[in-house]
Amino acid sequence: MVLSMEVGSAGDIVHNDNIAPKRPGCDNNFVLVKVPTWVDGIETSEYVGVGARFGPTLESKEKRANHTRVVLADPPDYCSPPKQKLSGEIVLVHRGNCSFTTKANYAETAHASALLIINYRTELFKMVCEENETDIIIGIPTVMLPQDAGTILETDLKNNSKVSVQLYSPLRPLVDIAEVFLWLMAVGTILCASYWSAWTAREAALEQEKLLKDGSEETLHLEDAGPTGYVDINTTAAVLFVVIASCFLVMLYKLMSFWFVEVLVVLFSIGGVEGLQTCLVALLSCFRCFKQAGESYVKVPLLGAVSYLTLAVSPFCITFAVVWAVYRRDSLAWIGQDILGIALITTVLQIVRVPNLKVGTVLLSCAFLYDIFWVFVSKWWFHESVMIVVARGDRSGEDGIPMLLKIPRMFDPWGGYSIIGFGDIILPGLVVAFSLRYDWLANKKLKAGYFVWAMTAYGLGLLITYVALNLMDGHGQPALLYIVPFTIGTLLTLGKTRGDLKILWTRGEPERCCPHVRLEPCEDKDQD
């Protein structure tokens, strides 16, 4: 749970770089290109290529893209004058032996309508203009295909099959409905978890106050009452978060493989079972018919006291997690992953708490630096964004690691998923939940409290993240870069304005003087 992922979009387009700067005639954006193919008049596969920085831009609408015949280049690399005269066909050439613009110029001289270049690797490559090249005003589009796709087309052509293709680069919508649902999921999860956390804190405070008034020396045996205990984070743990999370992230990056993702799936399933079980028991206990079963316990070897209600829902939770793990590669498996993830996040926000705004500020500040470093700065050392590589599950043969909430992009022609990491919900959620506990225990009304402002700040920060995401053409963004300033900045500013900052900053630490559960200023003016 220490891993804070960026919010992003799987299946992103190819982006600009700063290695080969734009110049007149060579200033196209790098875009992915759809290449549907027909062999002897029968539609077969659709491949994905990447457009060059030079040449005209491609059509964005499929219905406007022409079906054009493909021919093999002669010579194969097109690094010398072509031996064939074309009449508007698309020529298929091999990469290498000369510059991309040289090949494009020869193709244009031969009257080709477009140029397809077969890469000598399975990935795509950004085609730019060489530094000293001058003949870069090219009138036909150039597209690179990965090696496997180009080899298939070449084999069909050598077998005397008639091959034709379409070339078009559809635009992504400015906003996809998946992002709206993902925003609602994140905000709704924090909202529900905060009320659950505040309710249990108030119940515990009332019980403690009752025992103090009665003079009772009774103690509450939390271990006999089920999973109702919670853990407070201190400033030391908040600082260590960066170190531990960074080590864990590098381990994921270095060990990313099929078997390692399988281990993560097992661990996520175990956590999901515990989270789903805890949430279901709490929800069902609200109904009178299940309340008695939730308050009756039986001794279970190795587990201790377990309620009858927990025993009843456990088989369902285990079955649900196992079914998801087995069928997680199916198109609808994201639903099961999100259910398990939301249950797990809600349970963590119920159990783990920040005792005051000081710890919350330190925790989110460290997470803020952590997110920025591993999304952006890590490119300087690892030549790629470590966070994005781990989030997508690159080199693992899997569709990303499971510690993410994700929804398929519904109106995106390139498909993929909109994703948000657990850390981008849990870490700010700890501070938002603290604000509601403070409001309730201090008897503050909703409008006069801090929860509404903290919740609004989180939602606005996440919304700005999606705006930045779309401005960057779907390139992964560190959500905490936007969420942390909004959330912490709002609470600090509001607390300072209302004169509550000192109480918010230190509440819950050992130096407080008041044993009473209500968070009112002490009468002793020499102490806080």
Side-chain angles (χ1 to χ4, degrees):
M1 300 307 302
V2 299
L3 183 61
S4 173
M5 290 297 177
E6 89 290 345
V7 60
S9 168
D12 296 335
I13 66 173
V14 180
H15 301 278
N16 295 323
D17 58 21
N18 297 319
I19 299 175
K22 294 181 179 181
R23 56 193 173 110
C26 195
D27 55 0
N28 293 340
N29 292 328
F30 292 114
V31 294
L32 291 183
V33 180
K34 285 184 178 289
V35 188
T37 61
W38 286 260
V39 178
D40 294 328
I42 300 174
E43 186 172 3
T44 55
S45 303
E46 180 178 274
Y47 305 112
V48 175
V50 61
R53 178 157 280 180
F54 50 85
T57 57
L58 287 163
E59 178 59 57
S60 62
K61 301 291 186 180
E62 181 181 7
K63 61 183 179 181
R64 297 177 184 171
N66 295 325
H67 289 246
T68 308
R69 185 177 176 182
V70 181
V71 297
L72 289 173
D74 186 16
D77 59 5
Y78 250 41
C79 288
S80 58
K83 300 176 182 179
Q84 59 195 150
K85 287 296 181 181
L86 306 176
S87 55
E89 292 89 352
I90 296 175
V91 63
L92 184 68
V93 308
H94 284 272
R95 177 187 172 186
N97 301 327
C98 61
S99 67
F100 297 118
T101 53
T102 298
K103 298 174 187 292
N105 277 310
Y106 278 133
E108 187 175 11
T109 301
H111 303 292
S113 62
L115 177 65
L116 285 178
I117 299 179
I118 305 173
N119 196 11
Y120 47 68
R121 295 179 181 174
T122 55
E123 64 267 15
L124 297 172
F125 184 84
K126 295 177 180 178
M127 295 179 289
V128 299
C129 303
E130 297 293 337
E131 203 171 311
N132 300 322
E133 284 183 311
T134 56
D135 193 8
I136 59 175
I137 306 301
I138 298 168
I140 62 172
T142 301
V143 176
M144 174 168 285
L145 290 175
Q147 184 182 44
D148 50 356
T151 301
I152 293 173
L153 292 180
E154 187 178 30
T155 301
D156 289 334
L157 290 169
K158 287 181 177 179
N159 290 334
N160 296 320
S161 297
K162 183 180 178 181
V163 178
S164 61
V165 300
Q166 277 184 305
L167 300 178
Y168 65 101
S169 180
L171 301 176
R172 275 190 156 151
L174 291 177
V175 178
D176 192 273
I177 194 67
E179 295 171 353
V180 177
F181 283 118
L182 200 61
W183 185 90
L184 291 173
M185 285 169 57
V187 172
T189 299
I190 291 181
L191 184 68
C192 296
S194 297
Y195 271 96
W196 187 14
S197 177
W199 181 81
T200 55
R202 184 172 65 178
E203 291 296 308
L206 292 174
E207 185 66 25
Q208 182 182 358
E209 185 178 19
K210 179 180 179 182
L211 292 175
L212 288 172
K213 286 182 178 180
D214 293 343
S216 172
E217 295 183 357
E218 266 186 68
T219 57
L220 298 176
H221 300 287
L222 294 177
E223 65 274 12
D224 294 332
T228 57
Y230 57 88
V231 178
D232 277 343
I233 301 175
N234 55 34
T235 52
T236 303
V239 174
L240 285 176
F241 161 79
V242 176
V243 179
I244 298 173
S246 296
C247 293
F248 186 63
L249 185 64
V250 172
M251 182 182 68
L252 284 174
Y253 176 74
K254 293 295 185 181
L255 298 179
M256 183 62 65
S257 61
F258 175 80
W259 70 265
F260 195 74
V261 173
E262 295 293 313
V263 172
L264 294 180
V265 168
V266 172
L267 295 177
F268 171 73
S269 298
I270 294 172
V273 168
E274 178 65 24
L276 187 60
Q277 174 182 283
T278 302
C279 292
L280 286 178
V281 169
L283 182 63
L284 293 174
S285 296
C286 297
F287 298 94
R288 186 176 301 175
C289 55
F290 295 106
K291 190 173 183 180
Q292 185 175 356
E295 296 175 349
S296 303
Y297 294 86
V298 61
K299 289 285 185 178
V300 177
L302 302 178
L303 299 178
V306 179
S307 69
Y308 287 102
L309 186 57
T310 301
L311 291 177
V313 301
S314 291
F316 167 78
C317 298
I318 294 172
T319 302
F320 187 90
V322 170
V323 170
W324 169 81
V326 172
Y327 295 100
R328 68 184 183 279
R329 297 181 184 86
D330 288 0
S331 59
L332 296 178
W334 61 272
I335 299 175
Q337 179 173 324
D338 287 351
I339 291 173
L340 292 173
I342 289 173
L344 182 55
I345 292 170
T346 304
T347 302
V348 171
L349 290 176
Q350 160 65 13
I351 296 173
V352 182
R353 302 181 181 181
V354 293
N356 50 55
L357 189 56
K358 174 184 176 182
V359 174
T361 301
V362 172
L363 177 65
L364 287 189
S365 298
C366 292
F368 175 81
L369 298 174
Y370 163 84
D371 230 17
I372 293 175
F373 180 86
W374 289 110
V375 173
F376 295 133
V377 183
S378 63
K379 293 180 182 179
W380 298 347
W381 280 275
F382 298 91
H383 306 294
E384 57 186 349
S385 175
V386 172
M387 186 80 79
I388 293 177
V389 170
V390 172
R392 293 176 179 170
D394 293 356
R395 303 188 302 273
S396 67
E398 291 277 353
D399 188 19
I401 65 174
M403 285 82 76
L404 302 162
L405 298 185
K406 65 179 186 179
I407 297 180
R409 297 177 66 85
M410 301 177 186
F411 300 105
D412 192 331
W414 293 104
Y417 293 87
S418 290
I419 60 176
I420 184 171
F422 288 176
D424 297 326
I425 303 175
I426 291 176
L427 297 176
L430 292 172
V431 176
V432 175
F434 158 76
S435 67
L436 184 59
R437 291 196 304 272
Y438 175 86
D439 288 350
W440 281 21
L441 295 177
N443 288 328
K444 288 184 177 290
K445 293 183 179 180
L446 197 62
K447 293 183 179 180
Y450 293 90
F451 173 70
V452 172
W453 293 94
M455 194 73 249
T456 302
Y458 174 81
L460 186 59
L462 187 57
L463 181 63
I464 297 299
T465 305
Y466 283 114
V467 172
L469 185 69
N470 288 313
L471 290 177
M472 295 292 183
D473 285 328
H475 188 58
Q477 293 290 299
L480 296 182
L481 171 64
Y482 309 96
I483 293 173
V484 170
F486 273 91
T487 307
I488 292 298
T490 298
L491 290 176
L492 291 176
T493 302
L494 197 61
K496 181 68 174 178
T497 303
R498 293 178 175 178
D500 295 334
L501 184 58
K502 200 169 186 180
I503 300 175
L504 286 167
W505 192 256
T506 61
R507 188 193 72 80
E509 293 190 345
E511 62 266 26
R512 67 184 183 187
C513 70
C514 297
H516 201 272
V517 293
R518 298 190 184 279
L519 307 178
E520 298 172 351
C522 299
E523 295 182 1
D524 188 346
K525 296 181 180 179
D526 296 332
Q527 302 186 53
D528 294 334

